[in-house]
């Protein structure tokens, strides 16, 4: 190391520091900068910005500099001269991005600055403090450490207080406590940060009890914060702290309340509910509250909108009239305000209190407020105090929205095919981006790379750059899930084979988006493999010839002829995708043309064209979930794949699964068992019989074979029949029962049976030995996955892969309606795509109904305040699954999975937009399920649903009693939901 007595010159200083930065050696930089002389520091400080800019230019826009961040920070902290320059350097945007997170080099920086004088460090602490910003408060740890070390007075800056509060609980020996604790009650944002924090209020209450902090200061701070106003969320922490600081001894508690009575009175009228409740509970304990203040308190409480607070205020008023009869007139004035409350129950209680006031009470305020009451309650008040009774409510003229019927939306026009890629420069641009249509990218690459590989080689990037894709949480060795990753690798293989990882086949994965998504990746991987082997074909078979995604049969035959004449074979995935895109057949003439070409691919296509398989979709009921789609194939008499067709890509030498211990069970049955939860199910037939997997408990499994198989092992049919009824596990031994006999299986063998290890082809989702003999086709025509993919928006394009089978594409879209992962969580695209493929009230009615019901309950849509477009579209088409949607709405509300106000608001906006007929049908199915049994608590907001049902039923002219609603309406009581139920029952049964 260069000593201080022999400092390096400026060029050597920068060269040394730059080398340490490039080596990502932040500790080395921190150790080297103290040895620099003034000239060396100035040289390093001058060169740092340019070096950082060059480092950023060498990286993609999405790539951060987190690996060299700490070295840059240490270099700037040790070489920049002024505190202002250091503060600006540490707060550069490059160093504070969200992906980097909170800096963890505080100790290193403090060590670098230890040679600076206290005044400089105090100045730096102030400057760094004033640069703090929420909501992340990046650098708060460094700021607090500097303030503690220097003893500088913390500047008046709210983010400093908020950052201090969120970093750690208060400590008696914290040197910043005397300066920052009083500011907790003044700084904006503290309450929101500490709203769920339980440690802070308990710690402060304990410190106040020990005398470490002034309890009166804390109480006064809470009251001041209440008086400043704020939301319930912002004041929750201070309410909790105030409760913990309140004395347990009544007399001491009354002294504290009396000293702050005027402030508590000011909180009763407009403070959030929890604050007003706290103030009310304290003031009510003061027995000698002056009459004018007591009247003010009652007046404020009975004016509030919260029914609970008004009822509490009326209880206080009753006690006041009993204990202090001289205040009856003031209580009457306060009570009159409750006559206008929106709750019928509150108004009814106010009338009872008014009638219980002592004789001689001035009833003028009550008489004046009587018209605010419903006629039945107003008549009781006017009978004693006089005044006018409100007229009986006339039926409000509430016409149905205009227009009454919605205009059916025009069907979406097929999208225009993208322009083909015609030049190598356009291809390079498509490879660099990610928005180019996949088909045009695949087709353009194959055509141009085959026709003029040198021009493409000179234009495209020399490396795939896939390992630097922004998914660090996947680890260093990750899959390539995106088509552009594979195509960049293909371009790299063409330009510089060494730039592509040798294990690129291992980057293949099952992927998050099912067989239809895997088809595209397999086609791209085939192109990479063809480039590697030098067998790139002149064209692709599966490029669509129509905007819908179809491939014309004649065009397919022409393409097969072109490939045969060029001596090229298509990729197996490309061939299978082309077959899936054919229009419904058969196509006998084209089949004969393809057969005449006489290549393995052409013969396979000829068989498909002559007798294409027909997928059938059915729904399998599930006790705990929605019905699951099940796909089967009709019209397949044998494998369609030609025996000479090679479908082994990308792993031709793949070994079968090595889970062979114990009874042999077909792998496809195990796959289905995992999907279906190992309930009773039937598997496909094999040579030696049909298997059925039965899971009778966590540790019991049955494998039943056909009678032909049993005859080989059973001693005789009679004994076999006797043993077939005994199926179950024995202690310490798993039992696998085959029909007609019982086979004991060891625990080790059972473990291998339950979780067989999958081969590489199985992990890719390839189905070998399937009905058609085409692995990817058979994978598509198997049962779709139960759960949503990680990238739901990509699912909407799957229908273009099988355009002739919309019901199959819809089966794959069904799981996407539930949404999963970051990208699919709020996506509407899968639901829109499903509704374009199949009728909403068809076989997927339950799934569409759940999708629409959950959209109503989505709280993220609340700020929109517009009717749900999807619901309106389905109503306009006339295929709304109203009964199923009503059941789903009721289930969501009863389970507490939906906020009633959101559901009701969404239905109200849809009805007012013209879909009132659909809304009524939904409510007619939901309300019977929501009617509570005697003694049950109704769901919150049930009265609003009944009122909406009354309006929409009137607009529709609906008639016919609903037994559950009539039974509810017949009950005694004045609850809002009972009165609303009576209104609906009267509407449905009236003239």
């Amino acid at each position: 190391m260069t000593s201080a007595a022999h400092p390096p010159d400026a060029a050597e200083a920068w060269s040394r520091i730059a080398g340490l930065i490039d080596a990502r050696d932040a500790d080395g930089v921190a150790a080297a900068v103290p040895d620099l002389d003034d000239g060396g520091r100035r040289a390093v400080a001058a060169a740092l910005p340019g070096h950082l800019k060059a480092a950023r230019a060498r990286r993609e826009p999405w790539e951060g500099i987190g690996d060299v961040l700490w070295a840059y920070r240490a270099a700037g902290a040790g070489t920049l001269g002024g505190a202002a320059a250091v503060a600006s350097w540490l707060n550069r945007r490059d160093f504070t991005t969200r992906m980097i997170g909170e800096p963890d080099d505080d100790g290193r920086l403090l060590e670098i600055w230890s040679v600076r004088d206290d005044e400089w460090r105090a100045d730096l602490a102030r400057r760094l403090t004033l640069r703090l910003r929420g909501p992340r408060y990046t650098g708060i740890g460094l700021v607090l450490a500097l303030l503690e070390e220097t003893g500088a007075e913390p500047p008046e800056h709210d983010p400093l207080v908020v950052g201090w509060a969120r970093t750690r609980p208060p400590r008696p020996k914290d040197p910043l406590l005397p300066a920052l604790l009083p500011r907790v009650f003044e700084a904006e944002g503290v309450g929101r940060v500490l709203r769920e924090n339980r440690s802070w209020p308990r710690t402060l209450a304990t410190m106040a009890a020990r005398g470490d902090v002034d309890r009166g200061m804390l109480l006064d701070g809470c009251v001041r914060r209440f008086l400043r106003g704020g939301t319930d969320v912002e004041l929750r922490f201070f309410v909790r702290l105030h409760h913990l600081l309140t004395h347990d001894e009544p007399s001491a508690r009354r002294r504290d309340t009396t000293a702050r009575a005027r402030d508590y009175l000011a909180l009763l009228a407009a403070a959030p509910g929890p604050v007003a409740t706290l103030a009310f509970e304290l003031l009510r304990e003061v027995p000698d509250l002056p009459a004018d203040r007591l009247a003010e308190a009652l007046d404020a409480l009975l004016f509030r909108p919260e029914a609970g607070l008004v009822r509490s205020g009326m209880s206080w008023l009753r006690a006041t009239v009993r204990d202090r009869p001289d205040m009856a007139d003031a209580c009457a004035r306060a009570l009159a305000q409750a006559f206008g409350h929106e709750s019928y129950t509150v108004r009814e209680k106010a009338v009872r209190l008014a009638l219980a006031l002592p004789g001689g009470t001035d009833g003028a305020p009550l008489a004046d407020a009587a018209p605010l009451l419903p006629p039945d309650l107003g008549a009781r008040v006017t009978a004693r105090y006089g005044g006018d009774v409100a007229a009986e409510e006339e039926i409000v003229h509430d016409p149905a929205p205009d227009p009454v019927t919605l205009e059916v939306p025009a069907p979406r026009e097929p999208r225009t095919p993208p322009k083909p890629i015609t030049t190598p420069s356009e291809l390079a641009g498509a490879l660099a981006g990610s928005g180019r249509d996949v088909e045009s990218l695949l087709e353009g690459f194959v055509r141009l790379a085959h026709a003029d590989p040198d021009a493409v080689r000179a234009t495209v990037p020399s490396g795939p750059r896939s390992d630097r894709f922004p998914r660090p949480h996947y680890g260093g060795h990750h899959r390539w899930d995106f088509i552009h990753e594979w195509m960049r690798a293909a371009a790299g293989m063409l330009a510089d084979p060494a730039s592509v990882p040798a294990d690129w086949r291992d980057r293949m994965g099952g992927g998050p988006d099912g067989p239809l998504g895997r088809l595209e990746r397999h086609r791209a991987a085939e192109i990479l493999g063809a480039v590697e082997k030098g067998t790139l074909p002149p064209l692709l078979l599966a490029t669509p010839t129509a905007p819908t995604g179809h491939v014309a049969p004649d065009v397919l035959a022409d393409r097969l002829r072109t490939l045969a004449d060029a001596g090229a074979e298509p990729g197996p995935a490309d061939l299978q995708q082309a077959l899936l895109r054919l229009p419904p057949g058969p196509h006998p003439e084209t089949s004969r043309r393809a057969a005449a070409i006489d290549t393995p691919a052409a013969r396979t296509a000829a068989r498909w064209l002559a007798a294409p398989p027909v997928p059938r979709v059915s729904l399998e009921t599930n006790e705990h979930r929605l019905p699951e789609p099940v796909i089967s194939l009709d019209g397949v008499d044998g494998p369609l794949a030609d025996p000479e067709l090679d479908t082994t890509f990308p792993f031709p030498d793949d070994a079968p699964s090595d889970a062979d211990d114990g009874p042999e069970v077909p792998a496809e049955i195990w796959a289905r068992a995992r999907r279906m939860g190992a309930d009773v199910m039937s598997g496909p037939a094999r040579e030696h019989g049909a298997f059925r997997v039965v899971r009778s408990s966590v540790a019991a499994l049955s494998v039943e074979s056909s009678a032909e198989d049993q005859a080989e092992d059973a001693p005789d049919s009679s004994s076999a029949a006797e043993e077939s009824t005994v199926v179950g596990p024995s202690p310490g031994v798993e039992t696998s029962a085959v029909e007609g006999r019982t086979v004991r299986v060891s625990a080790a063998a059972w473990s291998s049976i339950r979780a067989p290890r999958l081969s590489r082809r199985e992990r890719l989702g390839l189905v070998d030995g399937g009905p058609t003999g085409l692995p990817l086709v058979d994978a598509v025509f198997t049962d779709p996955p139960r759960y949503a993919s990680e990238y739901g928006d990509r699912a909407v394009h799957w229908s273009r892969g099988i355009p002739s089978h919309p019901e199959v594409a819809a089966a794959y879209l069904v799981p996407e309606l539930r949404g999963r992962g970051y990208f699919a969580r709020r996506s509407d695209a899968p639901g829109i795509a499903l509704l374009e493929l199949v009728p909403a009230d068809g076989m997927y009615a339950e799934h569409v109904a759940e999708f629409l019901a959950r959209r109503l309950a989505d709280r993220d849509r609340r700020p929109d305040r517009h009717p749900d477009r999807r619901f309106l579209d389905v109503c306009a088409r006339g295929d709304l699954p109203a009964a199923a949607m009503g059941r789903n709405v009721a289930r969501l509300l009863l389970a507490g999975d939906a906020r009633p106000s959101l559901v009701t608001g969404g239905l109200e906006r849809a009805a007012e937009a013209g879909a009132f007929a659909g809304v009524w049908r939904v409510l007619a199915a939901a309300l019977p399920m929501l009617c509570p049994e005697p003694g049950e608590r109704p769901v919150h907001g049930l009265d609003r649903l009944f009122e909406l049902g009354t309006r929409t039923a009137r607009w529709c002219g609906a008639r016919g009693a609903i037994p559950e609603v009539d039974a509810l309406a017949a009950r005694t009581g004045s609850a809002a939901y009972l009165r609303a139920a009576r209104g609906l029952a009267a509407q449905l049964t009236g003239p």
Side-chain angles (χ1 to χ4, degrees), residues 332-333 335-337 339 354 357 361-373 378-390:
R333 289 192 296 272
L335 189 59
Q337 295 187 107
F339 286 4
L357 291 174
T361 301
D362 181 11
L366 300 172
D368 293 341
L372 299 176
L373 293 166
R380 295 167 61 186
V381 174
T382 57
R384 175 174 174 180
Y385 297 108
D388 299 326
V389 179

Side-chain angles (χ1 to χ4, degrees), residues 72-347:
Y72 275 117
R73 285 169 58 92
T79 58
L80 294 169
V86 173
S88 298
W89 177 257
L90 295 180
N91 283 277
R92 290 179 66 98
R93 183 173 297 178
D94 299 291
F95 300 162
T96 58
T97 61
R98 185 178 297 274
M99 293 184 68
I100 293 175
E102 183 68 20
D104 60 355
D105 59 347
D106 299 350
R108 184 185 301 122
L109 298 182
L110 292 174
E111 180 65 26
I112 292 174
W113 296 327
S114 62
V115 299
R116 303 273 192 166
D117 59 74
D118 291 342
E119 183 179 355
W120 186 92
R121 290 190 297 149
D123 183 28
L124 176 62
R126 285 190 292 270
R127 292 180 182 276
L128 290 176
T129 297
L130 296 176
R131 285 178 173 270
L132 288 174
R133 296 291 185 272
R136 295 172 57 220
Y137 306 96
T138 302
I140 183 64
L142 182 61
V143 167
L144 296 177
L146 274 174
L147 290 174
E148 291 177 1
E149 280 193 1
T150 60
E153 178 68 19
E156 294 282 346
H157 190 52
D158 286 356
L160 169 65
V161 184
V162 178
W164 174 68
R166 73 195 291 265
T167 302
R168 57 196 180 195
R171 296 172 297 158
K173 296 183 180 180
D174 186 349
L176 300 177
L177 185 72
L180 296 184
L181 182 57
R183 301 185 198 174
V184 165
F185 304 100
E186 311 295 336
E188 289 295 333
V190 171
R192 186 169 291 275
V193 166
L194 297 179
R195 64 186 183 276
E196 302 298 338
N197 191 301
R198 301 286 180 174
S199 175
W200 258 81
R202 285 199 301 264
T203 303
L204 286 177
T206 302
M207 292 169 62
R210 294 175 178 173
D212 295 326
V213 295
D214 183 9
R215 177 178 165 279
M217 181 272 291
L218 296 178
L219 274 176
D220 291 338
C222 289
V223 174
R224 286 199 313 274
R225 188 63 187 85
F226 296 151
L227 292 172
R228 290 180 58 197
T231 64
D232 179 13
V233 172
E234 293 169 339
L235 299 180
R236 186 178 302 162
F237 160 73
F238 301 101
V239 171
R240 187 178 295 125
L241 175 60
H242 193 291
H243 277 300
L244 293 174
L245 293 172
T246 303
H247 275 299
D248 293 332
E249 204 277 317
S251 60
R253 188 165 59 245
R254 284 194 292 269
R255 285 196 301 271
D256 286 341
T257 303
T258 302
R260 300 173 178 85
R262 183 170 294 278
D263 292 332
Y264 290 132
L265 283 171
L267 296 173
L268 289 178
V275 177
T277 300
L278 180 149
F280 157 71
E281 291 172 349
L282 292 173
L283 287 170
R284 188 170 183 179
E285 291 185 343
V286 181
D288 54 351
L289 198 64
D292 57 338
R293 293 190 178 181
L294 179 54
E296 179 184 352
L298 292 173
D299 197 60
L301 277 174
L302 271 64
F303 183 72
R304 293 189 64 95
E306 299 95 337
L309 270 174
V310 176
R311 287 195 294 268
S312 299
M314 287 191 288
S315 298
W316 193 9
L317 184 144
R318 182 191 298 109
T320 300
V321 172
R322 182 188 65 238
D323 299 336
R324 302 169 71 170
D326 57 309
M327 291 193 63
D329 291 345
C331 290
R333 289 192 296 272
L335 189 59
Q337 295 187 107
F339 286 4
H341 199 276
E342 64 177 8
S343 169
Y344 185 91
T345 304
V346 167
R347 289 184 286 181

Side-chain angles (χ1 to χ4, degrees), residues 729-751:
S730 300
V733 179
E734 307 295 350
T735 300
S736 175
V738 178
E739 187 179 0
R741 61 189 175 88
T742 299
V743 180
R744 296 189 180 278
V745 184
S746 68
W750 167 251
S751 174

